[in-house]
């Protein structure tokens, strides 16, 4: 079964600084990988996804993520954080074939942005 | 843009009471899901539903839980006799197809507090 680890519970950055949120997954084959964002009182919004092809994927709101098979990682990055990026970020993995297609989520990383 | 709508956004109930959480999936979607997120923990899959029956469920989804599509638009999660540990955010999601992870759309959630 697939699993996801987000090792950082909280991350604090200053507005304008760069950001990297870590995500490691466990799955025996090529997975589908996702990053979701949850703003306070909101649902889970898809930021970006990786299915195949180019390992650097671009998402909404200026985010990108890089799939590194050798490290089983799919870290989320943004070159310059805005105060409105403060939210909870979830990494998720689903099986590309076999296993469960239903996304398995990490526990989330809370991003705090200082002015 | 089509949305998954959940009501109510917050619900407080006494231990032992029955609660029904409601969801209106996207109209052309055929697969429906419930997830929960206990405060500070990961988003956990509960159940998926297709063609008026449960297609997958997790260990969490025990006899206290049931799901139903009572009419053509609503998808409900019932907790028969709530316990304190049922306090969580409950998310509904829907997708067009079984393997349609790209088309997964989440609602904004119902925060359930059991007192």
């Amino acid at each position: 079964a697939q699993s996801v680890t987000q090792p950082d519970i909280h991350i604090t950055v200053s507005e304008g600084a760069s950001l990297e949120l870590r995500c490691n997954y466990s799955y025996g084959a090529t997975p589908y990988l996702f990053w979701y964002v949850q703003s306070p009182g909101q649902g889970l919004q898809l930021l970006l996804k990786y299915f195949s092809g180019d390992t650097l994927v671009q998402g909404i709101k200026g985010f990108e993520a890089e799939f590194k098979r050798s490290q089983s990682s799919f870290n989320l990055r943004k070159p310059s954080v805005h105060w409105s990026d403060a939210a909870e970020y979830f990494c998720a993995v689903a099986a590309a074939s076999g296993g469960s297609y239903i996304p398995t989520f990490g526990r989330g990383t809370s991003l705090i942005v200082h002015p | 843009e089509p949305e998954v709508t959940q009501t109510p956004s917050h619900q407080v109930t006494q231990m032992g009471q029955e609660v029904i959480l409601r969801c209106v999936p996207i109209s052309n979607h055929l697969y429906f899901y419930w997830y929960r997120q206990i405060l500070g923990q990961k988003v956990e899959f509960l159940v998926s539903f297709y063609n008026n029956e449960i297609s997958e469920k997790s260990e969490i989804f025990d006899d206290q839980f049931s799901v139903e599509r009572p009419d053509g638009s609503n998808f409900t999660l019932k907790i028969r006799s709530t316990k304190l540990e049922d306090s969580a955010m409950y998310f509904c999601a829907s997708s067009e197809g079984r393997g349609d992870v790209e088309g997964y759309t989440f609602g904004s959630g119902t925060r359930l507090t059991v007192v």
Side-chain angles (χ1 to χ4, degrees):
Chain A
Q2 62 260 35
S3 66
V4 175
T5 301
Q6 292 179 251
D8 303 307
I9 298 174
H10 303 282
I11 291 277
T12 302
V13 298
S14 297
E15 191 169 15
S18 63
L19 170 71
E20 182 169 34
L21 302 183
R22 294 183 291 166
C23 171
N24 292 97
Y25 70 89
S26 174
Y27 180 62
T30 302
Y32 292 150
L33 293 160
F34 310 84
W35 275 99
Y36 285 86
V37 62
Q38 181 187 20
S39 298
Q42 302 297 310
L44 294 165
Q45 182 184 21
L46 181 66
L47 279 177
L48 47 76
K49 60 189 181 293
Y50 171 79
F51 284 177
S52 65
D54 193 346
T55 56
L56 183 64
V57 292
Q58 303 297 320
I60 61 171
K61 305 185 180 187
F63 285 93
E64 66 177 26
E66 187 171 11
F67 169 57
K68 292 186 177 179
R69 185 191 303 276
S70 62
Q71 298 177 20
S72 298
S73 69
F74 189 57
N75 293 347
L76 182 71
R77 302 193 293 249
K78 187 169 184 178
S80 177
V81 169
H82 188 262
W83 64 266
S84 60
D85 293 324
E88 192 85 15
Y89 290 81
F90 295 93
C91 182
V93 60
S97 62
S100 175
Y101 70 95
I102 293 173
T104 300
F105 286 82
R107 63 179 298 167
T109 297
S110 178
L111 175 64
I112 301 163
V113 181
H114 281 174
Chain B
E1 189 170 327
E3 290 184 342
V4 174
T5 306
Q6 288 187 243
T7 55
S9 56
H10 295 90
Q11 181 150 1
V12 180
T13 189
Q14 288 202 327
M15 192 167 55
Q17 295 296 305
E18 174 184 285
V19 294
I20 297 176
L21 309 182
R22 291 184 166 78
C23 170
V24 179
I26 292 173
S27 61
N28 65 330
H29 284 186
L30 301 177
Y31 288 81
F32 315 115
Y33 314 87
W34 283 102
Y35 288 76
R36 80 171 184 193
Q37 182 189 20
I38 295 172
L39 188 63
Q41 298 186 26
K42 63 175 64 178
V43 177
E44 301 170 292
F45 167 72
L46 292 178
V47 65
S48 63
F49 189 86
Y50 169 71
N51 199 27
N52 283 319
E53 59 183 32
I54 291 172
S55 51
E56 283 189 60
K57 63 181 181 178
S58 71
E59 293 175 354
I60 303 167
F61 194 86
D62 61 22
D63 293 343
Q64 291 282 78
F65 294 93
S66 62
V67 289
E68 192 179 28
R69 190 158 162 81
D71 53 42
S73 59
N74 288 284
F75 177 52
T76 62
L77 174 69
K78 182 192 291 185
I79 309 175
R80 208 149 308 174
S81 176
T82 50
K83 305 186 283 284
L84 295 177
E85 53 265 37
D86 293 326
S87 295
M89 180 75 91
Y90 289 82
F91 291 105
C92 175
S94 68
S95 67
E96 195 169 342
R98 182 179 184 274
D100 180 28
V101 291
E102 183 171 2
Y104 241 71
T105 303
F106 284 87
S108 57
T110 293
R111 181 166 297 285
L112 176 66
T113 303
V114 182
V115 297

